[in-house]
Amino acid sequence: MSIIFQESTRTFRLNAKNTTYMFKILDDEGFMAHAYWGKKLSDTDASYIVRRIPSPSVMERERATILDTMPQEFPSEDVGDFREAAFGLLDSEGHEGCSLLYDSHAIYPGKPALSGLPATFGSEKDCETLELTLKDPVLGIKAILLYTVFEDLDVIARSVRIVNEGKAPVRLTRVLSASVDFDREDLDMVSLWGGWARENNAQRVPIQHGIQKVESARGESSNTYHPFMALMAHDATDDFGEVYGFNFVYSGNFIAETQKEQHGYIRALMGINPQHFGWKLVPGDSFQAPEVILVHSSEGLSGMTRTYHDLYRQHLVRGKYAHALRPVLINNWEATYFDFNTEKLLEIASLAAKQGIELFVMDDGWFGSRRSDNAGLGDWYVCEDVLPGGLKPLADGINALGMKFGLWIEPEMVNEDSDLYRAHPDWAIQIPGRKHSRKRNQLVLDFSRKEVVDYIYGMIHKVLSSTNVEYVKWDMNRTLTNLGSYALDADRQQELSHRYVLGVYDMQNRLTTDFPQILLENCSSGGARFDPGMLYYSPQIWTSDNTDAIARLKIQAGTALMYPLSTIDANISIVPNHQTGRITPFTTRGDVAMCGTFGYQLDITKLTEEELSLIPKQVENYHRFNPLVTTGDYYRLHDIFTQDSWDSWMIVAKDRSEALVTYVQILAQGGDMIFPKVRLKGLEADSFYRIEGTDTVVSGQLLMQSGLQIDLKRGDYVSASVHLIREA
Ligand code: GLA
């Protein structure tokens, strides 16, 4: 049993693999006090752990003082706790207060699905769930907190459902999914920041007094900040010390914040961003908030990383390709942009097929009047000027080459210059009377409306059924602004952003259910919606529009902080690189892309003979190494965010029988005969490993204590990839 309720002390103890999480019903009224989250404890009584209050009588006299300092399990607004709250509402009289007190609980094996939302899953053998019901005695509002403990991982998944069992409607103003009060003040916050073509840069800063937060109010999880934070003990490193990870399984607006309060203790919260949020909850209705994945590590940040990787690979990513080798793809975007026809695409595909490439993806520009990025979005039927005879001749031609065929869509968007917009201008998100705020000359369709999702899905269903499509790239290229829906009443307009995300999930669910053979890849101008919510529907995501191998080092390292390499799409493109102008060796581009889902995004007909000759070997290596890359343990061997003249990482098989080490020299250093040496991690100390391609056999201990010698050519941007095989 990983979850225990001790009746005598009214303590809940949740034990994951090496982690304990505890809280307690504090008084007769049912105040829920948070007690502990950290390394495993055998105690079942939290009485000594919960922060002390002077005496029970003081609780009556000083309720507001105590509420403002006690660690709470699910704090709400305007009852005396002035710190950031997890929950807030306005009742029908316009008041804010709500006291969520213990009502009941249930403990059961397995994990329930969250209605309409993506979530991690697990069998009755994998996990156990606590359903804790809190209730406000005045309004009849219930908060049902779900805690699922994964027994073999240091993971607790938390979410909350709000139910109105009262007599009057209320307006939810703040429903965060997790709040944790730490009895410690020595924590740093690690978060990710970025922008288009420079996603997921990691930063670590001490948590100071006041509020620190990352957030999105852009309608998508965004590339500016990420729905993630790790709280690291000041003395924790990548390999040692305590780390607490928070990652939100949601693809819309979020906040991830900490507050260091008056006594120096830290509260951490995560959930839907209260900005652009409001929800009218009428009697009998409920509101389900998405889940937060809490990971505890006492093996530093890298321990947290490996736990997220294991969880997402086993308990989040689904479908035919969840555990299967993905086909090596070639995408025509950087090859042709909008300038293509059937002949050009078949020319690229046939040369690609000869090199062993397995999937051809036709990107943007094949539908409606889409001859540039100014028109056509919304018209999901083939443009016969581009592809005479439709998709079938192209798809058949690609299949005849022995390749799979895939295509690009951007279902959530509309151009004003489209048949769809001309017929349904009210289907775009907008505030009546206010000028459209365009981005890439496009508007966002109101996916909060079922008829809009039905219509778009109907068109796309027809295209996907018309021929043998085995891959879809679902793009989303702008943020949500001018938040207005023609279908929502004034008192529900603030529900639009969340309802929009639910509409996206609904359509992704339909698509993956109706076309299980399709490999779905999400994308949002690159990585602007790379989040666990999307990974529930698509096993891989386009990580960034920046395909430069050197820029990708940071982008992929930041993304791999919690997402498995099997989800990180990485392609080789031409040089000078289209985003940075940088010229890197073809082999370096290959080594960097090899540690993701591998592919090409270039006009293969324009490669040199030498470059072309390298492709069959790269494809062969991908087939050899991908099973290791996508199932093994990932170790960072360097922190590129603090020192970026080189980078290195490795993947070790779960049974420690082999490892793949990648080293990239960014800036060459002067000096004669100096080769870099890098200390490895995760090997078996007393086993011996052969360095493939050489006669050298060395102990795991030596490789970890002294290091692997890297054979490198001179020059900037050169790389090496080393395969180690354990000797029998
Ligand atoms: C976005 C994507 C690109 C490409 C273009 C097409 O920018 O991230 O990969 O598909 O759209 O318009």
Side-chain angles (χ1 to χ4, degrees), residues 515-557:
F515 300 97
Q517 79 284 8
I518 285 182
L519 167 57
L520 178 64
E521 170 159 350
N522 271 290
C523 169
S524 178
S525 308
R529 206 165 55 182
F530 200 128
D531 59 59
M534 286 288 123
L535 286 179
Y536 182 70
Y537 302 99
S538 67
Q540 63 190 51
I541 298 180
W542 182 228
T543 318
S544 175
D545 278 349
N546 192 337
T547 53
D548 171 68
I550 300 304
R552 274 291 181 125
L553 295 175
K554 282 186 182 164
I555 294 169
Q556 292 178 198

Side-chain angles (χ1 to χ4, degrees), residues 183-358:
D183 275 343
R184 59 191 300 176
E185 46 188 327
D186 60 332
L187 296 173
D188 296 339
M189 184 184 193
V190 175
S191 61
L192 296 170
W193 63 272
W196 177 72
R198 52 200 168 85
E199 294 85 348
N200 291 344
N201 297 279
Q203 72 170 4
R204 176 177 181 171
V205 291
I207 295 172
Q208 312 277 9
H209 278 276
I211 293 165
Q212 272 162 238
K213 83 175 165 182
V214 287
E215 65 176 337
S216 167
R218 295 165 182 265
E220 56 181 355
S221 45
S222 96
N223 50 24
T224 42
Y225 301 109
H226 202 82
F228 161 80
M229 64 181 168
L231 308 187
M232 293 179 72
H234 287 335
D235 60 1
T237 65
D238 203 32
D239 297 311
F240 304 102
E242 279 206 282
V243 178
Y244 306 87
F246 294 71
N247 198 188
F248 199 26
V249 187
Y250 187 59
S251 310
N253 300 333
F254 76 89
I255 56 169
E257 65 177 348
T258 57
Q259 181 170 26
K260 196 171 211 174
E261 42 90 304
Q262 49 181 319
H263 302 284
Y265 295 128
I266 290 166
R267 172 171 289 177
L269 306 110
M270 180 173 267
I272 293 180
N273 197 335
Q275 189 181 343
H276 304 320
F277 175 79
W279 201 273
K280 181 175 169 184
L281 200 65
V282 299
D285 262 13
S286 65
F287 177 83
Q288 177 65 58
E291 74 178 358
V292 170
I293 304 298
L294 302 177
V295 168
H296 176 260
S297 162
S298 34
E299 292 174 8
L301 198 62
S302 72
M304 178 210 76
T305 293
R306 287 188 293 278
T307 300
Y308 275 119
H309 286 196
D310 286 342
L311 178 80
Y312 291 159
R313 289 191 291 215
Q314 301 303 328
H315 301 285
L316 179 68
V317 172
R318 303 170 305 155
K320 177 178 168 188
Y321 285 99
H323 304 287
L325 185 74
R326 318 273 163 73
V328 176
L329 66 76
I330 185 161
N331 174 303
N332 75 305
W333 179 241
E334 284 196 21
T336 64
Y337 294 105
F338 290 102
D339 185 18
F340 64 82
N341 53 30
T342 307
E343 199 189 338
K344 176 67 195 167
L345 298 184
L346 283 175
E347 190 197 354
I348 294 177
S350 73
L351 190 53
K354 288 197 188 100
Q355 317 312 315
I357 297 174
E358 299 152 317

Side-chain angles (χ1 to χ4, degrees), residues 333 363-364 370 408 440 473 475 477 523 525-526 542 545:
W333 179 241
D363 211 277
D364 194 358
R370 187 84 171 159
W408 177 98
R440 217 190 185 202
K473 177 177 170 189
D475 210 340
N477 279 319
C523 169
S525 308
W542 182 228
D545 278 349

